[in-house]
Amino acid sequence: MMLQRTNRLRALALGAVAVSGALVLTACGSDTNTSKDAQKAAAKIKCEGKGKLLSSGSTAQKNAVDAWVKNYQTACKETQINYKDIGSGGGVQEWLQGTTSFAGSDSALKPEEVTKSKKVCKSGQGINLPMVGGPVAISYNVPGVDDLVLDASTTAKIFDSKIKKWNDPAIKKLNPKAKLPSTDIQPFHRSDESGTTQNLGKYLGTAAKDDWKYPDEKSWPAKGGQSASGSAGIAQQVKQTDGAIGYFELSYASANNLDTVKLDTGASKPVEATTENASKAIEDAEVAGKGKDLALDLNYATKTEGAYPLMLVTYEILCDKGNKKSSLDATKSFLTYTASKDGQGELSKLGYAPLPDKIAEKVRSTIPELS
């Protein structure tokens, strides 16, 4: 079983490397190196607008955006897309300052951010368009422990530095057959403002409310632990630190060949962090936004069989009205592709969860109405 898991993770890791390499070649204008898959995807894309399209934000969706940009720029050579993975907080801040056409965020705009957005949008306000779904994996580096199970309460105590050894009785109880060492636990959290951090906080605050008393903010709220910048930074620290544990979008675990925690949700058996299991949880989401705003209400305490509750949805944030005229056509064209069946079809290849049909259809019908 371990060999099969290793092979699967290695295959996904190679796929992520291939995507990054293909993006570099496309950016350099090397059509001869464009994959056949990219050419097929590009053939269905309708290009509108041209010039530079600037955006920034979530590191969780970076691997998805790289694949989308590769396909889109294969078709639309007069458009250059630059996405900076600086974290959800940074992306929203840059967008509110009017320096980007849209932001990527793993959490919806706050009411005060919507108010601020009216200065940027002029005739409208900021809205949230869900685009990327997926599990937030909890990864660990404990040699000899291949199949770790944690519940929300134990996870909360680990990241709050209340449980400090890997052979703590609470972890032993959940893993009676595992040979847990007395190694110190090294919890890593994001140093930058992150929607992934906020989603972890929402999960812990909902499913372990007696053990996690912190607000679900983008900034890490608890004391102790160590920090790193971005999902890639956390993944690298977990990979190289004995006894480490951290959190990031699943594709980073796959690309770094890292073990991931199964969550005991109260269902009949612990749930693995997979795109399929995250999709089951996202299926329960309801649209909480009004008008063109499609912010979702996620159920982090779900006990549905096979539903992985620690999930995130990345939103592309832009104006319902009053978007930059110079980049509006290109923005709508690009997002029309990312929300399409072909665009969403790219996600499962990279460890993400495509949007459920009922949500994707709402996104697809909203994009053409943006102005």
Side-chain angles (χ1 to χ4, degrees):
M1 181 175 179
M2 180 59 186
L3 179 59
Q4 292 176 339
R5 176 179 176 81
T6 301
N7 287 339
R8 186 174 77 249
L9 290 173
R10 184 178 292 114
L12 285 168
L14 291 173
V17 172
V19 166
S20 299
L23 178 58
V24 171
L25 292 172
T26 300
C28 295
S30 179
D31 294 333
T32 57
N33 290 296
T34 302
S35 69
K36 292 182 179 180
D37 287 342
Q39 291 175 340
K40 290 179 180 179
K44 300 179 182 179
I45 295 173
K46 184 179 180 180
C47 303
E48 294 184 1
K50 59 182 179 180
K52 294 183 179 180
L53 186 59
L54 303 178
S55 60
S56 63
S58 165
T59 66
Q61 72 166 359
K62 179 62 164 59
N63 292 334
V65 173
D66 283 355
W68 284 335
V69 168
K70 177 192 66 174
N71 291 341
Y72 187 83
Q73 291 188 165
T74 297
C76 309
K77 300 184 185 302
E78 293 186 346
T79 302
Q80 294 180 332
I81 301 175
N82 181 8
Y83 180 81
K84 297 186 298 179
D85 56 329
I86 60 174
S88 297
V92 170
Q93 185 63 31
E94 286 196 346
W95 179 73
L96 288 173
Q97 292 171 348
T99 59
T100 55
S101 297
F102 66 91
S105 176
D106 303 328
S107 57
L109 290 171
K110 297 179 181 179
E112 58 267 29
E113 290 172 332
V114 173
T115 299
K116 290 180 180 179
S117 74
K118 294 179 181 180
K119 294 181 179 179
V120 177
C121 299
K122 306 299 182 183
S123 58
Q125 64 182 37
I127 59 170
N128 307 277
L129 296 183
M131 199 65 69
V132 180
V136 177
I138 299 176
S139 283
Y140 63 98
N141 182 351
V142 183
V145 180
D146 303 327
D147 203 19
L148 186 69
V149 175
L150 296 177
D151 58 14
S153 174
T154 306
T155 302
K157 292 174 183 177
I158 287 173
F159 280 106
D160 200 19
S161 300
K162 299 290 178 60
I163 292 179
K164 300 183 178 181
K165 297 282 187 179
W166 278 109
N167 62 350
D168 186 275
I171 303 178
K172 281 186 173 181
K173 184 177 180 179
L174 292 164
N175 301 271
K177 296 181 180 180
K179 295 181 179 180
L180 297 166
S182 60
T183 307
D184 289 340
I185 298 176
Q186 305 286 346
F188 281 89
H189 59 264
R190 291 279 289 273
S191 59
D192 53 325
E193 288 196 350
S194 162
T196 311
T197 293
Q198 190 169 32
N199 279 278
L200 175 64
K202 288 179 178 179
Y203 163 67
L204 296 176
T206 301
K209 57 185 177 182
D210 291 336
D211 300 300
W212 191 259
K213 302 292 187 179
Y214 302 103
D216 49 4
E217 299 290 344
K218 293 176 183 175
S219 298
W220 183 254
K223 295 180 180 179
Q226 302 177 63
S227 64
S229 179
S231 295
I234 296 266
Q236 187 60 36
Q237 289 298 328
V238 172
K239 186 174 184 177
Q240 66 188 22
T241 306
D242 190 23
I245 188 170
Y247 59 94
F248 30 76
E249 196 279 325
L250 180 61
S251 67
Y252 290 91
S254 303
N256 287 278
N257 202 20
L258 293 170
D259 289 316
T260 60
V261 168
K262 290 182 180 179
L263 292 177
D264 184 339
T265 65
S268 63
K269 60 182 180 180
V271 186
E272 186 176 357
T274 68
T275 58
E276 295 82 3
N277 293 343
S279 290
K280 289 180 183 178
I282 296 172
E283 285 276 4
D284 289 339
E286 297 293 336
V287 175
K290 296 180 180 180
K292 292 182 175 64
D293 181 31
L294 300 180
L296 301 177
D297 184 12
L298 301 173
N299 181 10
Y300 297 94
T302 181
K303 295 183 180 180
T304 299
E305 293 294 333
Y308 185 80
L310 179 47
M311 58 194 149
L312 62 77
V313 171
T314 299
Y315 300 95
E316 311 311 335
I317 293 173
L318 66 169
C319 305
D320 56 357
K321 298 179 181 179
N323 289 284
K324 292 182 178 182
K325 291 183 179 180
S326 60
S327 58
L328 177 59
D329 288 343
T331 297
K332 291 170 67 174
S333 174
F334 179 63
L335 295 183
T336 294
Y337 161 62
T338 64
S340 70
K341 290 184 178 180
D342 287 332
Q344 289 293 300
E346 292 287 328
L347 296 181
S348 58
K349 304 175 187 177
L350 300 169
Y352 297 96
L355 296 175
D357 287 340
K358 67 176 183 178
I359 296 172
E361 288 300 328
K362 292 181 179 181
V363 176
R364 291 165 190 157
S365 64
T366 299
I367 293 171
E369 298 177 353
L370 301 176
S371 61

